[in-house]
Structures are given as structure tokens and as C-alpha cells.
Amino acid sequence: MQTQTIMSKDANRSITESLSPTSLKECIVQSIEDTFTPIISEAPSYESGSEESSCDGLIGIISFVGTNSFSLMLGLPKNTAGFFSRCLVGFEIEYDTPDMSDLVGELVNLLAGSITAHLEKLGSIVHMSLPTVARGTDLQMLVPDGFYSMSMNFGSCDYSFWVKIVTMPSKHN
Amino acid sequence: MEEKKKLRLKALVVDDSRIMRSLVMDALRKSNLADFDFTEAGDGAEAMDRFDSEKIDIVFADWNMPQLNGIEFARHVRSMRASVRVPIIMVTSEKAEGKQAKAYQEARINAYITKPFTPEEVANKLTPIIEEMSKEPEPAPTVAPVVTQQNKSVNTGGFFSKLLGRG
């Protein structure tokens, strides 16, 4: 109910105004559910409270430019990357291969496509970049001073992943 | 019921993700709508090199790719007179309605499939296109035919004279 109220409120704003961070976050949570539910056959469980955004694994990064400009990061620990490969392609892709990086790039790409569609419905027109994939241990995305960021964690017994958004501060912050 | 003979189609699959190209080809095989011979390309520029209107019957292209994106590739294909009728199907993560409208209007694609997709969704989008291809007559000649009467060349002067005479 609260989500609906926030979304409706922002839908009435001027088309040139960017969304509030709260509305952007709601949009992204909805996009995560829409994107990953068909892949893993369940809605990803949002873990409110914890905001860890580092991992030993892979991070897919996409930037958005338009009415809202922000960067989005999808962090997949090693075991989750394997889990998602089994769900999407039917078998486990070997972790230390270009194909695994390809998979993570595609996952964040799928998520980005859903985000642009949801934002369009709210009057926010954005264009997404091609994905970049980083791989390593204790990966963290450092945020420059003055930028606004928010992290969301999702998990179950089979997987865990996080999504981080970084954007310029707006009048909403 | 007598089984229709399946078309044999040469398909160009364009995506910068090797995994996604495999998923597209797998879905097309499972659709059982045609027997496909696949050619792959990793981006629009590579697709331009591999596309040959005499050899490719149908194209499946991603949108966001390095070098040359799917929309630009589709525009190039449509600008080639001989390939105006080659079906182009966009297979992309872009779900925004504005993007879909752009693909249909600017690139004159034939169908739009959003990722992730199931083989059933691919079959549903592709069925009318394949059925249309099954009905298609022989392609129109690319060179205008020379019209001649037997042992005579066309004499438009004689034709108009007769017309005026009758008028």
C-alpha cells in the first residue's frame, strides 16, 4: 500500500523532474522481482536492514542516463553465480571462465531493461549503457563524497545477492 | 493430419552475449517451426559482414551491442533493396514501450521478443512470420525486366497513335 502511494505521488510530478530516491528504490525492487522470479522460479526475498555491498564473486555494472541518472551494481557471490547459471542455462557454468562473466553481464542487462520500462511508466526516460563485469575477492564499490547511494540485499538458502545504486544528490535528498 | 513440410531457413543470430545466442538458437530449435541453419555474430558490425541477402532468410538481433547496435544494423538491412523483405526479429532486454515503438517505426522490424523468454514465447511470436514466409511467392527480380514483343521491340509511338486515333 505504501509503495503504491509513493509511486502515485511521483507519477504526478513534472516529467523533467527526477524520481525521489525512495521511488527509485521501489522501482528497482519491483524490477528485481519481475526479472529474477521467472529465472529462479520464486520472488527474491528482500532482506531489509542489512546493507552489505561487498562480495567474493562478480559484480555487473550498468549506468543509466536521462531523467534519472544513476549507476546500478548487481553483486553475485560465487555460489550464487553458479546457482543463477543453473537456473538460466540449465547447467552450472564454470566460475573462472568468460562465459560466467557473460552470464552476469546478461543478468544485470535483463534487470536494467526492466528498470527502464518501470521508469518509463513513471515518466522517467532513461537510456542504459552496456554492462561491465568486475570479478574478484572482497569487491566493494566505493562511492565518491557527495553522491547518494543505497544498497539492497536479497537472499534465501540457495542464493544471496545485492544491488547498489549510486546517484547524484537531488533536491529530494 | 498431414504434417506440413517445414521450411529450411538460414538464420543470423546477433548478440554480444555468447550465452544469449545459445539460448536464442535453442529456443528456435525447440519451437519446431522450421529447420534452422544458424550463422552467429557478436555485434552489429560483424553482422553486417556476415549478412548476405542471398544467404540469410531471417535475422534475430539484440539491441544494445558494441560497435553497431541492433537498431542501426536493422536500418542498414532495410536500406538494402534486396533485403527489404527479410524478417528481422529483435530479441532484447529493452522492455520500455517507447523502445519497442522505436524499433518497429525506425528499424521496421517484424517482431519484438523481450528477454528472458521461453521457447513457447519465441514460437508464439515467430509462428505468423514463418507462416507468411511459407506462403511467399518467388522473390521479385532485382532488375526491371525488358518487355519485348515477339521479334519486335516496344513501339510506344504506335500505341499512342492508335490511342489518339481512336480518341
Side-chain angles (χ1 to χ4, degrees):
Chain A
M1 187 64 80
Q2 187 182 3
T3 304
Q4 201 170 10
T5 303
I6 291 169
M7 300 281 255
S8 296
K9 184 181 170 186
D10 265 320
N12 291 327
R13 80 199 194 293
S14 161
I15 197 165
T16 58
E17 264 182 78
S18 59
L19 289 175
S20 65
T22 306
S23 293
L24 184 59
K25 180 176 178 177
E26 295 289 351
C27 174
I28 288 168
V29 170
Q30 183 63 56
S31 298
I32 288 168
E33 183 175 324
D34 291 347
T35 302
F36 291 119
T37 301
I39 295 173
I40 64 177
S41 302
E42 63 178 57
S45 304
Y46 176 50
E47 297 174 340
S48 60
S50 65
E51 291 204 343
E52 292 295 320
S53 57
S54 66
C55 67
D56 293 346
L58 299 110
I59 296 178
I61 306 161
I62 278 190
S63 295
F64 298 81
V65 176
T67 313
N68 278 80
S69 294
F70 58 99
S71 287
L72 175 112
M73 285 139 272
L74 170 67
L76 298 180
K78 186 174 177 177
N79 61 339
T80 299
F83 172 75
F84 272 106
S85 73
R86 290 196 300 277
C87 292
L88 191 62
V89 302
F91 61 91
E92 183 148 344
I93 295 172
E94 206 175 315
Y95 180 73
D96 289 314
T97 60
D99 279 344
M100 183 55 89
S101 299
D102 181 359
L103 175 84
V104 173
E106 270 308 300
L107 286 172
V108 73
N109 192 40
L110 294 177
L111 178 57
S114 180
I115 290 170
T116 59
H118 279 295
L119 287 175
E120 183 192 57
K121 287 175 189 168
L122 295 175
S124 178
I125 306 300
V126 298
H127 302 281
M128 62 189 196
S129 71
L130 293 174
T132 298
V133 179
R135 176 197 289 267
T137 56
D138 195 24
L139 285 169
Q140 292 184 49
M141 299 307 294
L142 301 176
V143 180
D145 192 35
F147 279 68
Y148 178 82
S149 71
M150 50 183 159
S151 297
M152 292 158 274
N153 287 69
F154 298 83
S156 78
C157 54
D158 292 320
Y159 63 87
S160 65
F161 65 89
W162 52 263
V163 172
K164 186 166 185 170
I165 305 159
V166 178
T167 184
M168 285 287 289
S170 71
K171 64 177 184 178
H172 297 288
N173 297 344
Chain B
M1 188 193 292
E2 191 184 325
E3 199 177 303
K4 259 187 182 177
K5 193 179 173 184
K6 280 196 290 186
L7 285 181
R8 188 158 200 99
L9 297 175
K10 291 167 189 164
L12 176 61
V13 180
V14 191
D15 199 305
D16 55 336
S17 164
R18 192 172 85 101
I19 286 174
M20 201 47 68
R21 293 199 304 269
S22 298
L23 289 174
V24 169
M25 292 187 288
D26 186 55
L28 289 171
R29 287 187 199 101
K30 285 177 179 167
S31 74
N32 211 30
L33 291 170
D35 289 326
F36 292 98
D37 294 324
F38 293 112
T39 297
E40 297 179 61
D43 58 55
E46 189 182 341
M48 286 303 301
D49 290 339
R50 297 195 178 194
F51 181 81
D52 183 333
S53 60
E54 293 180 22
K55 291 182 182 173
I56 297 297
D57 300 308
I58 190 166
V59 174
F60 298 88
D62 185 18
W63 187 316
N64 293 310
M65 294 182 287
Q67 305 292 337
L68 190 74
N69 68 38
I71 293 293
E72 292 302 318
F73 167 68
R75 282 202 189 109
H76 279 291
V77 170
R78 288 290 180 249
S79 71
M80 295 156 61
R81 185 181 171 193
S83 58
V84 159
R85 291 161 67 186
V86 172
I88 300 174
I89 291 88
M90 211 94 226
V91 185
T92 173
S93 61
E94 294 275 12
K95 292 183 172 67
E97 286 180 12
K99 294 281 191 178
Q100 294 192 41
K102 178 177 177 163
Y104 278 109
Q105 289 162 15
E106 293 185 20
R108 289 181 286 147
I109 62 165
N110 298 83
Y112 198 99
I113 297 172
T114 55
K115 302 173 184 175
F117 49 79
T118 62
E120 291 74 28
E121 287 165 353
V122 171
N124 287 340
K125 289 283 176 90
L126 209 52
T127 296
I129 294 172
I130 301 292
E131 283 179 355
E132 197 59 38
M133 293 175 82
S134 303
K135 293 179 202 169
E136 274 185 348
E138 287 293 314
T142 55
V143 177
V146 175
V147 177
T148 59
Q149 292 177 334
Q150 198 171 14
N151 298 323
K152 292 182 187 176
S153 58
V154 173
N155 185 349
T156 54
F159 170 78
F160 283 117
S161 296
K162 284 182 185 175
L163 185 66
L164 289 170
R166 286 177 186 164

